[in-house]
């Protein structure tokens, strides 16, 4: 594995709101933040960093991703937890941060919405479905 590992949404929330000063980075697109919702850490006096891994609708990887995550407060040794919709883009983002010497970088399993249920809806798992704080973007 080329990044620190995978964690559940609950583990990421605990770390991002805990004493270790971890950074939660939502790597989804602006459209997802706006229309689907975003993780919320305000109750713990923390902010989520919003840095697109790829653009919508082009799907082009953000060449300034590492630089933008640094600007959001990531420094070597600070744990970074990366979340996307379902836990795929966040793996690529964790690998990129690790390669750049940031982190330890963790992928949030299941992402913000999780996989589809039998009817094609995202109601099975993920940050939202785990009952963790979130708000409409």
């Amino acid at each position: 594995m080329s990044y620190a590992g995978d964690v559940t949404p609950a583990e990421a929330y605990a770390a991002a709101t805990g004493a270790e000063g971890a950074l939660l980075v939502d790597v989804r697109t602006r459209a997802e933040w706006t229309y689907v919702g975003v993780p919320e850490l305000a109750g713990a006096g923390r902010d989520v960093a919003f840095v697109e891994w790829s653009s919508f609708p082009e799907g082009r990887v953000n060449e300034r991703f590492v630089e933008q995550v640094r600007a959001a407060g990531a420094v070597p040794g600070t744990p970074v937890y990366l979340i996307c919709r379902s836990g795929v883009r966040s793996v690529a983002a964790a690998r990129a941060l690790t390669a750049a010497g940031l982190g330890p970088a963790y992928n949030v399993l299941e992402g913000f919405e999780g996989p589809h249920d039998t009817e094609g809806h995202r109601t099975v798992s993920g940050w939202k479905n785990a009952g963790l704080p979130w708000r409409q973007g």
Side-chain angles (χ1 to χ4, degrees):
M1 187 174 304
S2 59
Y3 56 97
D6 301 315
V7 299
T8 67
E11 291 168 327
Y13 178 75
T17 59
E20 66 183 65
L23 178 64
L24 178 65
V25 180
D26 189 330
V27 304
R28 295 174 301 147
T29 64
R30 184 172 310 281
E32 290 170 294
W33 302 328
T34 302
Y35 297 110
V36 178
V38 296
E40 180 63 64
L41 302 177
R46 304 278 175 84
D47 294 318
V48 177
F50 297 99
V51 182
E52 290 181 316
W53 171 253
S54 58
S55 61
F56 175 82
E58 302 86 14
R60 225 180 7 248
V61 172
N62 177 2
E63 294 178 5
R64 297 183 55 225
F65 178 78
V66 171
E67 172 188 335
Q68 291 170 343
V69 172
R70 275 192 182 111
V75 295
T78 297
V80 180
Y81 293 81
L82 299 129
I83 190 168
C84 65
R85 182 189 63 219
S86 58
V88 175
R89 288 171 283 180
S90 49
V91 167
R95 288 180 176 146
L97 291 182
T98 299
L102 295 174
Y106 297 90
N107 168 53
V108 179
L109 292 168
E110 306 164 0
F112 187 68
E113 297 181 273
H116 293 105
D117 63 18
T118 57
E119 296 183 20
H121 302 133
R122 294 185 184 275
T123 63
V124 177
S125 60
W127 185 283
K128 273 175 88 168
N129 296 305
L132 297 170
W134 68 280
R135 64 178 168 79
Q136 203 64 46

